[in-house]
Amino acid sequence: MAEPEFTANGVRIGKRLRSLTRAGQVRISGGRLELLTSYGSEIDSAPVQAVRASRPWFAPEDRALADLNGNRYLLKLGEHDPAPGEPGPPAARRFIEAVRKAAGRGR
């Protein structure tokens, strides 16, 4: 199996006002975006070409939106990339760039 193109652990994943997991995982691998619970169960997944990732208006820097299969998920990642060797999720900006790059729409 190929190395994932993007992985973030410790991500809070919510849908509307409901929190689905407080320590989930977001992974882009093999052309698919996967949202996983802290136990590794799949919340949702879709091909990256069908995913829309953006930053919500009037929200802190650590938030990102991901639209998968007609569902909108709010992801709370880190405000800043963690220092090398430090735990913590990468910045929301890096997630959005990874989705665009994997879908072939990136810079």
Side-chain angles (χ1 to χ4, degrees):
M1 189 162 132
E3 186 70 26
E5 298 151 30
F6 178 86
T7 301
N9 296 312
V11 178
R12 182 177 291 233
I13 301 172
K15 186 175 172 185
R16 298 189 189 227
L17 296 176
R18 182 174 171 224
S19 177
L20 301 175
T21 184
R22 292 187 296 172
Q25 184 178 19
V26 177
R27 183 170 49 203
I28 299 174
S29 179
R32 291 190 68 79
L33 172 70
E34 299 173 318
L35 303 177
L36 307 169
T37 66
S38 55
Y39 298 110
S41 301
E42 185 177 292
I43 295 171
D44 205 347
S45 71
V48 288
Q49 289 83 5
V51 174
R52 200 174 111 221
S54 61
R55 279 215 356 100
W57 289 19
F58 306 110
E61 292 283 322
D62 63 347
R63 306 288 202 288
L65 292 173
D67 293 328
L68 285 83
N69 302 322
N71 297 312
R72 177 169 285 175
Y73 297 95
L74 178 64
L75 310 175
K76 183 180 180 203
L77 294 114
E79 287 186 40
H80 307 288
D81 287 329
E86 292 292 316
R93 171 187 44 77
R94 225 175 93 213
F95 164 72
I96 294 167
E97 290 171 1
V99 170
R100 290 179 180 158
K101 181 180 174 187
R105 296 176 255 158
R107 303 172 204 168

